[in-house]
Amino acid sequence: MKTKNALWFSTALVAALTAATAPVLASSHREAPAITEHPKVDGTDFYVFRSYEPGREDYVTLLANYQPLQVNYGGPSYYTMDADGIYEVHIDNDGDGIEDLTFQFDFDNQLANDGAGIGLDIGGVNVAIPLKYAGPILAGDDSLLNESESYSLTMIEGDRRSGTRTTLAQSGSGSTTFTKPLDHVGLKTLPDYDAYANQYIYDVSLPGCAMPGRVFVGQRADAFALNLGEVFDLINFVPIEGDSAPGAGDGAGFDNGITQSRDNDDVFGKVNVSTIALELPIDCITSDGEPVIGAWTTSSLAQAELENPNPGFEDTSRVGGALVQQSRISTPLVNEVVIGITDKDLFNGSEPIDDADNFATYVTNPTFPRLVELLFGPDLGMENNVAPKNLPRNDLVTTFLTGFPGLNQPQNVVASEMLRLNTAVPATPRNAQHSFGVVAEDLAGFPNGRRPGDDVIDVILRVALGALCHPVPLGFELGVDGAIEDDPSDLINLGFCAPEDAPIGNFALTDGAPISASELQNAFPYLNTPIPGSPNGTVAGD
């Protein structure tokens, strides 16, 4: 992608950066011991990007996914949000590692007929049905829906707990209650799921903002592409491209290396996820003179819970006390493969401002590259010569903790883990996006935020093994003097380290699970329609 917008590129990027301390990446998909006990509040993936839906270029989209690995046939309860918890999306718009805006979602469940539920006359007795629905659910007609799910949305300016709170309302109606659609049970129950779910995409009024935002909460098909089972079986494949180019199918790459195939993917198009989606006007979430925002999502539960010995609907326990953070997510994979097991739960409960004090060693002296070295060094004939030697790893600090000077680093940055997005970089249209983002000359992609079609696994794998120690084709895009597009002068070393520091940093490292923006929707909320619990759309009697 040949983006030619003017950026305030700093020469500091092509000079050696001073050491910084903080952790790398973030959590996702059952990554820490404690979060496995609370799957409803388990954050899986987080995205922040300039909207690329045609006509929405003045907006930023934020997607926060929860409840990992939802099997589409997971009835009869399916995947409601936790009514005892809160879910939050945070924005830091001045670079200090502390939230300036928080969007807080609070969920509630209701039974039809004022809580009595739908019943059937069985021998003169009205008996409650066992399902969440009593027949097909259509757009504009949910009269047969037995259990409904709703939420309120609050915008908090300043500290997430003590700041100024504004309850947000639907534009037009003024209602402060929003509906989450029923999960995709199947095509008999929900014969037109898109029409049904899309009616719950709302315009929402924002205080002091001339333009409304948009919000949607509902089940989506998970867009995370990952060779999940094989990765955690000690990377049970050779993680180097086996073709001359990804998807070439010629087997002319690394001998016995993995080739790109949807068969390698355990997640994309195979499981569902619960998505919280926001689209917000850029002018209303950035601060004066600072186009870069940082963002992350968290979930929290009350500190105390007492089980009810006589439980009823939505009355299985009593909760109270201060809110305690359970999950934190921005960039994927950190808590899985970077943060040590002793600190995984601590990371999930922490805030970005605390990162430098609590987790510094995990980024400056990461173990993941050494594990790859132990696993594959002998096979490559490079025993003890795979992991990058540029310690401390300032390339990782910049990529994940401060942003790149002149691209997505705030002017007064405090090193802290979050996705950072330069909102001044124009969105790349869906069909022109490159899944490798910035390192492939598409400046609107990861790690300048993250889009659903960015192949973050391959990018992170390559960066972790030292890709930024080698020249990258960004000289022209980033405004380096004398750099010419599609010319050797476009290749620049960013100054973090030298090629000899990263022996395999220029290898085509991959997990073999491809992803492309063209496989996803081109409109809010961007993620695909959830996989139905049953593919059989024939209604009895038809």
Side-chain angles (χ1 to χ4, degrees):
M1 177 63 193
K2 309 301 188 285
T3 306
K4 295 181 173 61
N5 56 296
L7 295 174
W8 34 278
F9 182 79
S10 167
T11 56
L13 181 57
V14 291
L17 298 184
T18 56
T21 57
V24 60
L25 313 180
S27 58
S28 58
H29 292 92
R30 294 174 52 84
E31 78 294 332
I35 198 61
T36 61
E37 301 174 17
H38 302 286
K40 286 193 173 189
V41 294
D42 184 1
T44 67
D45 281 288
F46 185 63
Y47 306 85
V48 54
F49 53 95
R50 189 155 170 175
S51 300
Y52 51 87
E53 176 183 345
R56 305 294 291 185
E57 294 82 5
D58 293 332
Y59 291 80
V60 164
T61 295
L62 305 102
L63 307 176
N65 288 347
Y66 282 88
Q67 301 196 65
L69 307 176
Q70 297 177 13
V71 292
N72 52 324
Y73 47 83
S77 293
Y78 297 97
Y79 301 96
T80 56
M81 306 297 274
D82 196 329
D84 291 332
I86 62 167
Y87 302 78
E88 295 172 309
V89 173
H90 310 281
I91 296 174
D92 167 20
N93 60 23
D94 58 12
D96 64 358
I98 301 171
E99 68 274 6
D100 296 292
L101 295 172
T102 293
F103 294 85
Q104 185 182 97
F105 295 75
D106 192 357
F107 291 86
D108 193 18
N109 293 6
Q110 307 86 28
L111 286 177
N113 299 324
D114 296 323
I118 295 174
L120 295 177
D121 186 334
I122 308 298
V125 178
N126 187 60
V127 182
I129 68 170
L131 302 178
K132 293 189 174 189
Y133 38 83
I137 309 300
L138 307 171
D141 181 8
D142 63 358
S143 58
L144 296 179
L145 186 61
N146 192 27
E147 180 189 37
S148 59
E149 195 172 3
S150 63
Y151 60 94
S152 63
L153 175 56
T154 302
M155 190 179 93
I156 306 166
E157 299 173 81
D159 184 271
R160 66 181 79 177
R161 299 291 173 257
S162 61
T164 302
R165 301 173 62 90
T166 302
T167 301
L168 302 186
Q170 299 175 32
S171 299
S173 73
S175 174
T176 58
T177 300
F178 301 81
T179 296
K180 173 181 175 288
L182 177 67
D183 292 342
H184 201 344
V185 171
L187 300 178
K188 183 176 180 181
T189 303
L190 293 152
D192 189 345
Y193 192 83
D194 284 338
Y196 164 70
N198 288 346
Q199 67 183 331
Y200 301 120
I201 297 175
Y202 298 98
D203 287 340
V204 58
S205 300
L206 303 172
C209 188
M211 299 186 295
R214 287 196 290 188
V215 64
F216 170 81
V217 179
Q219 191 179 53
R220 297 282 95 185
D222 200 332
F224 192 43
L226 174 63
N227 199 345
L228 186 62
E230 303 292 333
V231 164
F232 288 105
D233 185 21
L234 295 178
I235 312 180
N236 193 5
F237 56 90
V238 177
I240 304 173
E241 180 61 58
D243 286 339
S244 60
D250 55 13
F254 191 82
D255 190 28
N256 295 319
I258 193 168
T259 59
Q260 304 298 312
S261 171
R262 186 58 70 211
D263 292 339
N264 296 327
D265 189 357
D266 294 317
V267 179
F268 183 88
K270 298 179 181 178
V271 294
N272 293 325
V273 72
S274 299
T275 298
I276 294 171
L278 283 166
E279 188 180 56
L280 305 171
I282 292 173
D283 289 345
C284 299
I285 61 173
T286 53
S287 58
D288 291 341
E290 178 57 81
V292 176
I293 62 170
W296 68 102
T297 182
T298 63
S299 60
S300 301
L301 295 172
Q303 191 170 36
E305 180 176 8
L306 184 65
E307 295 299 316
N308 186 351
N310 298 295
F313 177 79
E314 290 296 295
D315 187 23
T316 59
S317 62
R318 305 297 168 85
V319 300
L323 289 167
V324 178
Q325 186 173 296
Q326 304 294 312
S327 180
R328 166 186 163 194
I329 170 74
S330 52
T331 313
L333 286 188
V334 143
N335 228 0
E336 283 137 324
V337 301
V338 177
I339 301 297
I341 196 168
T342 55
D343 285 329
K344 287 179 180 290
D345 294 323
L346 178 64
F347 182 84
N348 264 352
S350 67
E351 300 181 28
I353 193 62
D354 301 322
D355 288 347
D357 291 334
N358 293 336
F359 311 105
T361 302
Y362 292 120
V363 61
T364 57
N365 299 73
T367 59
F368 177 70
R370 174 60 175 159
L371 290 171
V372 174
E373 180 174 84
L374 293 172
L375 288 169
F376 295 102
D379 295 334
L380 297 173
M382 302 170 65
E383 193 167 355
N384 298 319
N385 193 31
V386 169
K389 299 173 177 59
N390 54 305
L391 301 175
R393 292 291 303 275
N394 292 326
D395 53 331
L396 299 185
V397 170
T398 301
T399 302
F400 302 112
L401 306 174
T402 66
F404 289 88
L407 178 58
N408 66 335
Q409 183 180 114
Q411 299 173 58
N412 299 302
V413 68
V414 173
S416 47
E417 195 283 308
M418 61 182 73
L419 277 173
R420 290 184 171 86
L421 173 70
N422 185 346
T423 62
V425 176
T428 303
R430 180 185 63 170
N431 292 337
Q433 291 178 20
H434 196 292
S435 59
F436 284 3
V438 170
V439 296
E441 305 176 88
D442 181 359
L443 299 187
F446 182 77
N448 183 28
R450 178 191 177 189
R451 303 166 301 195
D454 289 339
D455 194 341
V456 293
I457 300 303
D458 283 8
V459 175
I460 289 172
L461 183 60
R462 296 181 189 199
V463 170
L465 271 297
L468 298 184
C469 294
H470 294 259
V472 292
L474 291 175
F476 175 77
E477 282 73 19
L478 297 175
V480 174
D481 288 343
I484 300 172
E485 185 60 83
D486 298 326
D487 182 83
S489 62
D490 193 31
L491 288 168
I492 58 170
N493 189 298
L494 298 180
F496 302 114
C497 41
E500 55 267 27
D501 292 324
I504 68 167
N506 59 347
F507 283 29
L509 299 165
T510 180
D511 72 331
I515 182 69
S516 169
S518 63
E519 299 176 274
L520 298 153
Q521 294 184 359
N522 198 30
F524 183 83
Y526 293 96
L527 304 184
N528 290 336
T529 302
I531 304 160
S534 166
N536 186 351
T538 302
V539 178
D542 285 0

